[in-house]
Amino acid sequence: MSRKLIFHTLGNLLICLAGTMLLPLVIAIYYHFSAGEPQKDLFAFVYATVLTLCVGLILRFTLKPAEPELGIREGFAIVALGWVFVALFGAFPYLFADVFSAENRTFLEEFSFCYFESMSGFSTTGATVLEEIEHLSHAMLFWRSFSHWLGGMGIVVLAVAILPMLGVGGMQLFRAEAPGPQTDRLTPRIAQTAKLLWGVYILLSFLETILLWLGDMTLFDALCHTFGTMATGGFSTKNASIAHYNSVYIEVVIIVFMFLAGTNFALHYRALRGDVRSYFKDTEFRFYCVVILLSILLVSWNTVKFEVADGKVPYDSVGDAIRYGAFQVLSITTTTGYGSADFETWPALSQFILVTLMFYGGCAGSTGGGMKQLRFLLLIKQSGAEIKRLIFPHAVLPVRVNDRVVPPEVLTHILGFFFFFIGIFAIVTCIMTILGLDLITAAGCTIATMGNIGPGLGEVGPLNNYAHIATAGKFILTFCMLLGRLELYTVLILFSPNYWKK
């Protein structure tokens, strides 16, 4: 394994990150001179940009690899460490601007806040430790949301698209970062595939920004909420999230684009090329639609004219039940995490459905988190085949998706993924209870971070934040965000002794 190649490539990633910091720097300059916003935030981005660029240049030019070919081991290390580095340097604007400083906080505690917020942004989790979002400057609000957008399609995939030196062996990086058990290769050249995916991503982002701007949003808010929607992240510029606007139009626009963001982007590309039927020919997409539709119907039925503990009903009209039910179902299923209602006041059945959807997540190849619809679909098919095999022991019963036989090694991979996911979920939940959280909050914050969802249950519900969690807990949940974004294996492989053997 070439360590020089790994850190040389990480240097390139940091140079890219420094370039992205110029956008919030420009915004900080504009709002400082036009609206008198704090000069401290302006210099925070100057310092962060210079520091990130300098470290990136040092790694790039002092560690020149002898072998430019990226292997499997280098690919996993670059992707996993790349996300750690990007979140680390992405935390410096918060640190330099003293966003989380307080008299009774140590440097480690303040850093845990900054790193948590940064990783939550880049991993598109949307969990926040901010208690007053609207007190932030425009530059900081933009950086929070922009980090979503960068992380949604993948900062490493972005580097593959724009850095020619990653064209050789870039498939190792693409596969290690791309979400889901299958990675669609749209063209023979992986760099071209990355560019096409980013092109679709930018086009949909542009369309949503225009539509939100036509509603009751400023251009700045429309852009920030587009970043949160298309990346299925959920950072908002308002304390009350989407509920702040109380607009059916805005909610419908965001529902549509959350649905699109939770769909495999390869299908969007094919549809833009004229093959609209590719959506309906895709087995996972049909399963995704059925899961969402059934969930909306159940939640809507459960939240209208259904008496809760205090004798009141959440919604007294079918229209309101469908409106809020559809938004929250899409928000949780796609792991966006935006809120238009406090679902903790809903009946137990509706809360149970939403918690179940936290595990499902979006489609493979989407920007959504969770365990992915395709994995659940394949497990259901495999379970059905096992039942038939008991009846017909000698029958050959292959599992098929899109009229193709799924190789046994893919099913084995998925079973392993489920084992690791549930096992880690149980272990982290246990640890969080040891750190003082009640069981519902511990389980809620664990699945919310592992699934890259954001809002959980209990003390981390849709109207709460993660600020009260102990410093150790923040670092553990930050690691859970990384695990969820990189789909476990890419991170866990680094802890295997065999990985480090020559």
Side-chain angles (χ1 to χ4, degrees):
M1 184 168 61
S2 174
R3 290 176 174 80
K4 283 188 175 181
L5 177 57
I6 292 171
F7 285 97
H8 174 79
T9 309
L10 291 177
N12 288 323
L13 289 176
L14 291 181
I15 292 171
C16 289
L17 181 64
T20 64
M21 288 181 178
L22 294 176
L23 275 176
L25 175 59
V26 170
I27 290 175
I29 294 172
Y30 173 79
Y31 281 100
H32 171 66
F33 289 104
S34 65
E37 291 194 344
Q39 189 179 48
K40 180 171 58 177
D41 287 5
L42 191 160
F43 282 106
F45 282 103
V46 172
Y47 299 149
T49 303
V50 171
L51 177 62
T52 305
L53 180 61
C54 289
V55 174
L57 291 173
I58 290 172
L59 292 177
R60 174 180 172 83
F61 290 108
T62 61
L63 297 172
K64 293 185 178 180
E67 311 89 9
E69 182 70 26
L70 287 174
I72 295 176
R73 297 188 184 193
E74 288 84 0
F76 282 120
I78 288 169
V79 171
L81 294 177
W83 279 81
V84 172
F85 272 50
V86 165
L88 173 63
F89 284 84
F92 285 128
Y94 303 119
L95 192 64
F96 292 144
D98 295 327
V99 171
F100 298 105
S101 63
E103 291 183 5
N104 58 340
R105 282 182 192 152
T106 65
F107 175 79
L108 181 63
E109 289 172 333
E110 184 181 346
F111 177 75
S112 71
F113 276 76
C114 297
Y115 196 52
F116 183 99
E117 197 76 10
S118 179
M119 181 64 80
S120 182
F122 283 104
S123 65
T124 73
T125 302
T128 185
V129 286
L130 282 167
E131 297 176 277
E132 280 294 334
I133 296 171
E134 294 176 38
H135 287 179
L136 291 181
S137 67
H138 282 77
M140 285 298 169
L141 289 173
F142 181 87
W143 179 238
R144 289 176 80 237
S145 298
F146 190 50
S147 63
H148 268 344
W149 195 74
L150 292 173
M153 188 58 66
I155 189 71
V156 178
V157 171
L158 174 62
V160 170
I162 65 177
L163 295 178
M165 63 80 59
L166 293 181
V168 179
M171 191 61 189
Q172 303 298 343
L173 303 181
F174 187 78
R175 288 190 181 279
E177 186 183 53
Q182 295 180 350
T183 304
D184 285 309
R185 190 166 179 167
L186 302 177
T187 67
R189 293 179 60 84
I190 195 61
Q192 186 64 21
T193 295
K195 289 177 182 177
L196 291 174
L197 292 175
W198 266 93
V200 174
Y201 192 51
I202 292 170
L203 176 61
L204 291 177
S205 299
F206 174 77
L207 291 176
E208 185 185 1
T209 301
I210 296 300
L211 291 174
L212 289 177
W213 192 19
L214 293 175
D216 191 25
M217 280 191 182
T218 64
L219 179 59
F220 178 84
D221 284 348
L223 196 59
C224 288
H225 284 93
T226 293
F227 291 157
T229 305
M230 289 310 304
T232 63
F235 276 158
S236 174
T237 57
K238 306 297 180 183
N239 290 325
S241 191
I242 304 303
H244 170 88
Y245 297 96
N246 192 27
S247 167
V248 175
Y249 171 81
I250 288 175
E251 289 169 24
V252 170
V253 170
I254 291 178
I255 283 173
V256 170
F257 282 91
M258 284 193 295
F259 177 80
L260 294 176
T263 303
N264 190 332
F265 271 70
L267 297 179
H268 297 325
Y269 169 74
R270 295 187 180 107
L272 290 172
R273 293 288 300 267
D275 185 15
V276 179
R277 290 184 297 176
S278 62
Y279 286 118
F280 306 101
K281 290 187 291 186
D282 186 79
T283 308
E284 183 192 22
F285 179 77
R286 296 198 301 269
F287 180 73
Y288 172 60
C289 292
V290 170
V291 168
I292 288 175
L293 182 59
L294 286 178
S295 299
I296 291 174
L297 291 175
L298 283 172
V299 169
S300 300
W301 166 80
N302 190 227
T303 54
V304 65
K305 301 299 181 184
F306 190 102
E307 292 193 3
V308 289
D310 57 5
K312 297 179 180 179
V313 294
Y315 306 111
D316 54 11
S317 72
V318 175
D320 283 344
I322 294 175
R323 169 188 173 183
Y324 295 110
F327 189 94
Q328 289 306 146
V329 165
L330 262 299
S331 181
I332 296 299
T333 304
T334 61
T335 73
T336 305
Y338 277 142
S340 63
D342 181 9
F343 55 77
E344 284 197 297
T345 63
W346 289 0
L349 175 60
S350 295
Q351 292 189 48
F352 174 77
I353 291 171
L354 293 181
V355 170
T356 303
L357 294 175
M358 290 180 181
F359 288 89
Y360 269 71
C363 296
S366 71
T367 61
M371 299 171 85
K372 298 296 181 295
Q373 300 280 335
L374 182 58
R375 287 193 177 96
F376 277 93
L377 174 62
L378 289 175
L379 277 185
I380 291 170
K381 285 178 171 285
Q382 176 66 10
S383 299
E386 290 300 321
I387 292 174
K388 290 181 181 178
R389 193 169 285 114
L390 292 174
I391 303 172
F392 307 104
H394 303 293
V396 178
L397 301 169
V399 175
R400 298 177 183 273
V401 171
N402 297 331
D403 297 325
R404 291 182 295 178
V405 175
V406 179
E409 57 268 24
V410 172
L411 296 174
T412 303
H413 180 281
I414 291 173
L415 288 172
F417 179 89
F418 266 75
F419 172 78
F420 279 121
F421 195 100
I422 299 301
I424 294 171
F425 168 74
I427 292 171
V428 174
T429 298
C430 180
I431 294 174
M432 298 308 291
T433 59
I434 294 173
L435 293 175
L437 299 181
D438 63 87
L439 181 59
I440 292 178
T441 302
C445 68
T446 302
I447 185 56
T449 50
M450 284 189 67
N452 302 136
I453 298 156
L457 294 173
E459 296 176 13
V460 292
L463 299 183
N464 306 102
N465 57 64
Y466 290 68
H468 63 279
I469 293 177
T471 300
K474 288 189 182 72
F475 282 117
I476 291 171
L477 294 180
T478 299
F479 182 68
C480 286
M481 296 180 208
L482 179 66
L483 281 174
R485 178 58 183 83
L486 297 183
E487 308 246 305
L488 304 186
Y489 284 121
T490 300
V491 179
L492 295 180
I493 195 174
L494 301 184
F495 294 92
S496 171
N498 292 325
Y499 175 82
W500 301 100
K501 290 181 180 179
K502 292 184 179 181

